[in-house]
PDB file of all heavy atoms in Angstrom:
ATOM      1  N   GLN A  40     119.553 168.397 102.531  1.00 26.00           N
ATOM      2  CA  GLN A  40     118.956 169.252 103.545  1.00 26.00           C
ATOM      3  C   GLN A  40     119.966 170.286 104.001  1.00 26.00           C
ATOM      4  O   GLN A  40     121.080 169.956 104.368  1.00 26.00           O
ATOM      5  CB  GLN A  40     118.499 168.420 104.747  1.00 26.00           C
ATOM      6  CG  GLN A  40     117.468 167.365 104.398  1.00 26.00           C
ATOM      7  CD  GLN A  40     116.189 167.981 103.886  1.00 26.00           C
ATOM      8  OE1 GLN A  40     115.681 168.919 104.484  1.00 26.00           O
ATOM      9  NE2 GLN A  40     115.681 167.475 102.785  1.00 26.00           N
ATOM     10  N   GLU A  59     133.647 186.900  79.693  1.00 41.00           N
ATOM     11  CA  GLU A  59     132.707 186.852  78.588  1.00 41.00           C
ATOM     12  C   GLU A  59     131.260 186.747  79.047  1.00 41.00           C
ATOM     13  O   GLU A  59     130.345 186.774  78.243  1.00 41.00           O
ATOM     14  CB  GLU A  59     133.029 185.647  77.688  1.00 41.00           C
ATOM     15  CG  GLU A  59     134.427 185.681  77.093  1.00 41.00           C
ATOM     16  CD  GLU A  59     134.631 186.893  76.215  1.00 41.00           C
ATOM     17  OE1 GLU A  59     133.648 187.373  75.638  1.00 41.00           O
ATOM     18  OE2 GLU A  59     135.776 187.351  76.109  1.00 41.00           O
ATOM     19  N   ALA A  60     131.015 186.567  80.336  1.00 42.00           N
ATOM     20  CA  ALA A  60     129.648 186.412  80.807  1.00 42.00           C
ATOM     21  C   ALA A  60     128.870 187.681  80.553  1.00 42.00           C
ATOM     22  O   ALA A  60     129.339 188.784  80.803  1.00 42.00           O
ATOM     23  CB  ALA A  60     129.637 186.071  82.305  1.00 42.00           C
ATOM     24  N   ASN A  63     121.256 189.775  80.061  1.00 45.00           N
ATOM     25  CA  ASN A  63     120.350 190.589  79.290  1.00 45.00           C
ATOM     26  C   ASN A  63     119.432 191.345  80.225  1.00 45.00           C
ATOM     27  O   ASN A  63     118.601 190.736  80.897  1.00 45.00           O
ATOM     28  CB  ASN A  63     119.517 189.700  78.349  1.00 45.00           C
ATOM     29  CG  ASN A  63     118.558 190.517  77.507  1.00 45.00           C
ATOM     30  OD1 ASN A  63     118.737 191.719  77.361  1.00 45.00           O
ATOM     31  ND2 ASN A  63     117.551 189.850  76.967  1.00 45.00           N
ATOM     32  N   THR A 106     111.165 174.279  82.117  1.00 91.00           N
ATOM     33  CA  THR A 106     110.104 174.095  81.127  1.00 91.00           C
ATOM     34  C   THR A 106     109.939 175.259  80.152  1.00 91.00           C
ATOM     35  O   THR A 106     109.213 175.128  79.159  1.00 91.00           O
ATOM     36  CB  THR A 106     108.762 173.850  81.827  1.00 91.00           C
ATOM     37  OG1 THR A 106     108.477 174.966  82.705  1.00 91.00           O
ATOM     38  CG2 THR A 106     108.798 172.566  82.631  1.00 91.00           C
ATOM     39  N   GLY A 189     126.995 157.998 113.024  1.00 52.00           N
ATOM     40  CA  GLY A 189     128.202 157.459 112.417  1.00 52.00           C
ATOM     41  C   GLY A 189     129.446 158.083 113.006  1.00 52.00           C
ATOM     42  O   GLY A 189     129.385 158.917 113.892  1.00 52.00           O
ATOM     43  N   LEU A 199     144.396 156.593 105.266  1.00 97.00           N
ATOM     44  CA  LEU A 199     144.939 157.946 105.174  1.00 97.00           C
ATOM     45  C   LEU A 199     146.165 158.202 106.046  1.00 97.00           C
ATOM     46  O   LEU A 199     147.067 158.940 105.620  1.00 97.00           O
ATOM     47  CB  LEU A 199     143.848 158.969 105.509  1.00 97.00           C
ATOM     48  CG  LEU A 199     142.679 159.042 104.526  1.00 97.00           C
ATOM     49  CD1 LEU A 199     141.710 160.154 104.945  1.00 97.00           C
ATOM     50  CD2 LEU A 199     143.168 159.275 103.095  1.00 97.00           C
ATOM     51  N   ILE A 213     141.403 171.657  93.407  1.00 98.00           N
ATOM     52  CA  ILE A 213     140.231 170.808  93.209  1.00 98.00           C
ATOM     53  C   ILE A 213     139.011 171.704  93.094  1.00 98.00           C
ATOM     54  O   ILE A 213     138.657 172.414  94.045  1.00 98.00           O
ATOM     55  CB  ILE A 213     140.037 169.821  94.375  1.00 98.00           C
ATOM     56  CG1 ILE A 213     141.289 168.956  94.576  1.00 98.00           C
ATOM     57  CG2 ILE A 213     138.807 168.950  94.140  1.00 98.00           C
ATOM     58  CD1 ILE A 213     141.206 168.055  95.788  1.00 98.00           C
ATOM     59  N   ALA A 214     138.366 171.711  91.944  1.00 98.00           N
ATOM     60  CA  ALA A 214     137.129 172.476  91.777  1.00 98.00           C
ATOM     61  C   ALA A 214     135.967 171.657  92.322  1.00 98.00           C
ATOM     62  O   ALA A 214     135.821 170.474  92.000  1.00 98.00           O
ATOM     63  CB  ALA A 214     136.904 172.814  90.315  1.00 98.00           C
ATOM     64  N   ILE A 216     132.068 171.736  92.196  1.00 97.00           N
ATOM     65  CA  ILE A 216     130.858 172.314  91.605  1.00 97.00           C
ATOM     66  C   ILE A 216     129.686 171.828  92.431  1.00 97.00           C
ATOM     67  O   ILE A 216     129.284 170.667  92.354  1.00 97.00           O
ATOM     68  CB  ILE A 216     130.715 171.904  90.127  1.00 97.00           C
ATOM     69  CG1 ILE A 216     131.929 172.379  89.327  1.00 97.00           C
ATOM     70  CG2 ILE A 216     129.431 172.467  89.532  1.00 97.00           C
ATOM     71  CD1 ILE A 216     131.899 172.011  87.858  1.00 97.00           C
ATOM     72  N   GLU A 232     140.751 178.575  97.587  1.00 97.00           N
ATOM     73  CA  GLU A 232     141.651 179.421  96.803  1.00 97.00           C
ATOM     74  C   GLU A 232     140.911 180.552  96.112  1.00 97.00           C
ATOM     75  O   GLU A 232     141.384 181.686  96.048  1.00 97.00           O
ATOM     76  CB  GLU A 232     142.363 178.551  95.760  1.00 97.00           C
ATOM     77  CG  GLU A 232     143.393 179.282  94.930  1.00 97.00           C
ATOM     78  CD  GLU A 232     144.732 179.412  95.620  1.00 97.00           C
ATOM     79  OE1 GLU A 232     144.900 178.858  96.728  1.00 97.00           O
ATOM     80  OE2 GLU A 232     145.619 180.069  95.047  1.00 97.00           O
ATOM     81  N   HIS A 247     125.403 170.766 101.998  1.00 94.00           N
ATOM     82  CA  HIS A 247     126.018 169.821 101.069  1.00 94.00           C
ATOM     83  C   HIS A 247     127.392 170.293 100.613  1.00 94.00           C
ATOM     84  O   HIS A 247     128.383 169.562 100.706  1.00 94.00           O
ATOM     85  CB  HIS A 247     125.103 169.603  99.858  1.00 94.00           C
ATOM     86  CG  HIS A 247     125.495 168.449  99.001  1.00 94.00           C
ATOM     87  ND1 HIS A 247     126.429 168.557  97.991  1.00 94.00           N
ATOM     88  CD2 HIS A 247     125.090 167.148  98.990  1.00 94.00           C
ATOM     89  CE1 HIS A 247     126.579 167.377  97.404  1.00 94.00           C
ATOM     90  NE2 HIS A 247     125.770 166.507  97.984  1.00 94.00           N
ATOM     91  N   GLY A 253     134.609 169.616 103.211  1.00 97.00           N
ATOM     92  CA  GLY A 253     135.200 169.028 104.410  1.00 97.00           C
ATOM     93  C   GLY A 253     135.743 167.632 104.183  1.00 97.00           C
ATOM     94  O   GLY A 253     136.804 167.270 104.708  1.00 97.00           O
ATOM     95  N   ILE A 255     137.124 166.590 101.663  1.00 98.00           N
ATOM     96  CA  ILE A 255     138.380 166.702 100.913  1.00 98.00           C
ATOM     97  C   ILE A 255     139.483 167.342 101.729  1.00 98.00           C
ATOM     98  O   ILE A 255     140.612 166.824 101.777  1.00 98.00           O
ATOM     99  CB  ILE A 255     138.150 167.509  99.614  1.00 98.00           C
ATOM    100  CG1 ILE A 255     137.119 166.810  98.714  1.00 98.00           C
ATOM    101  CG2 ILE A 255     139.467 167.694  98.847  1.00 98.00           C
ATOM    102  CD1 ILE A 255     136.665 167.643  97.526  1.00 98.00           C
ATOM    103  N   HIS A 258     140.766 169.918 108.299  1.00 96.00           N
ATOM    104  CA  HIS A 258     142.104 169.886 108.906  1.00 96.00           C
ATOM    105  C   HIS A 258     142.112 170.345 110.370  1.00 96.00           C
ATOM    106  O   HIS A 258     143.168 170.715 110.888  1.00 96.00           O
ATOM    107  CB  HIS A 258     143.055 170.782 108.100  1.00 96.00           C
ATOM    108  CG  HIS A 258     142.602 172.216 108.025  1.00 96.00           C
ATOM    109  ND1 HIS A 258     141.826 172.669 107.001  1.00 96.00           N
ATOM    110  CD2 HIS A 258     142.809 173.267 108.855  1.00 96.00           C
ATOM    111  CE1 HIS A 258     141.582 173.965 107.199  1.00 96.00           C
ATOM    112  NE2 HIS A 258     142.167 174.341 108.326  1.00 96.00           N
ATOM    113  N   ALA A 275     127.161 176.443  91.942  1.00 95.00           N
ATOM    114  CA  ALA A 275     126.261 176.281  90.806  1.00 95.00           C
ATOM    115  C   ALA A 275     124.896 175.753  91.220  1.00 95.00           C
ATOM    116  O   ALA A 275     124.002 175.634  90.389  1.00 95.00           O
ATOM    117  CB  ALA A 275     126.884 175.335  89.784  1.00 95.00           C
ATOM    118  N   SER A 280     113.664 174.976  98.632  1.00 55.00           N
ATOM    119  CA  SER A 280     112.853 174.183  99.559  1.00 55.00           C
ATOM    120  C   SER A 280     113.685 173.111 100.253  1.00 55.00           C
ATOM    121  O   SER A 280     113.268 171.956 100.365  1.00 55.00           O
ATOM    122  CB  SER A 280     111.677 173.537  98.817  1.00 55.00           C
ATOM    123  OG  SER A 280     110.869 174.526  98.218  1.00 55.00           O
ATOM    124  N   ALA A 310     123.746 164.662  90.058  1.00 95.00           N
ATOM    125  CA  ALA A 310     123.328 163.701  89.039  1.00 95.00           C
ATOM    126  C   ALA A 310     122.043 164.170  88.390  1.00 95.00           C
ATOM    127  O   ALA A 310     121.253 164.910  88.971  1.00 95.00           O
ATOM    128  CB  ALA A 310     123.140 162.317  89.661  1.00 95.00           C
ATOM    129  N   GLY A 328     143.721 167.524  80.556  1.00 97.00           N
ATOM    130  CA  GLY A 328     144.402 166.908  81.688  1.00 97.00           C
ATOM    131  C   GLY A 328     143.686 167.028  83.009  1.00 97.00           C
ATOM    132  O   GLY A 328     144.271 166.757  84.065  1.00 97.00           O
ATOM    133  N   PRO A 343     118.372 153.781  85.733  1.00 94.00           N
ATOM    134  CA  PRO A 343     119.401 153.767  84.686  1.00 94.00           C
ATOM    135  C   PRO A 343     120.574 154.625  85.126  1.00 94.00           C
ATOM    136  O   PRO A 343     120.458 155.421  86.073  1.00 94.00           O
ATOM    137  CB  PRO A 343     118.679 154.381  83.471  1.00 94.00           C
ATOM    138  CG  PRO A 343     117.595 155.224  84.069  1.00 94.00           C
ATOM    139  CD  PRO A 343     117.155 154.499  85.311  1.00 94.00           C
ATOM    140  N   ALA A 348     128.073 160.918  85.902  1.00 97.00           N
ATOM    141  CA  ALA A 348     128.850 159.726  86.259  1.00 97.00           C
ATOM    142  C   ALA A 348     128.918 158.732  85.107  1.00 97.00           C
ATOM    143  O   ALA A 348     129.911 158.011  84.961  1.00 97.00           O
ATOM    144  CB  ALA A 348     128.242 159.067  87.490  1.00 97.00           C
ATOM    145  N   THR A 399     126.309 159.064  97.753  1.00 96.00           N
ATOM    146  CA  THR A 399     127.440 158.872  96.845  1.00 96.00           C
ATOM    147  C   THR A 399     128.194 160.179  96.608  1.00 96.00           C
ATOM    148  O   THR A 399     129.349 160.146  96.172  1.00 96.00           O
ATOM    149  CB  THR A 399     126.962 158.288  95.507  1.00 96.00           C
ATOM    150  OG1 THR A 399     125.965 159.146  94.931  1.00 96.00           O
ATOM    151  CG2 THR A 399     126.361 156.897  95.693  1.00 96.00           C
ATOM    152  N   SER A 463     157.718 158.495 101.855  1.00 46.00           N
ATOM    153  CA  SER A 463     157.410 159.539 102.828  1.00 46.00           C
ATOM    154  C   SER A 463     158.564 160.515 102.993  1.00 46.00           C
ATOM    155  O   SER A 463     158.356 161.711 103.205  1.00 46.00           O
ATOM    156  CB  SER A 463     157.061 158.912 104.180  1.00 46.00           C
ATOM    157  OG  SER A 463     158.144 158.125 104.673  1.00 46.00           O
ATOM    158  N   ALA A 465     160.560 161.539 100.727  1.00 38.00           N
ATOM    159  CA  ALA A 465     160.727 162.377  99.538  1.00 38.00           C
ATOM    160  C   ALA A 465     159.547 163.297  99.289  1.00 38.00           C
ATOM    161  O   ALA A 465     159.687 164.334  98.680  1.00 38.00           O
ATOM    162  CB  ALA A 465     160.936 161.497  98.309  1.00 38.00           C
TER     163      ALA A 465
END
Side-chain angles (χ1 to χ4, degrees):
Q40 300 297 313
E59 300 299 331
N63 181 19
T106 57
L199 294 183
I213 303 175
I216 301 179
E232 184 82 4
H247 192 274
I255 299 171
H258 59 268
S280 301
T399 57
S463 59

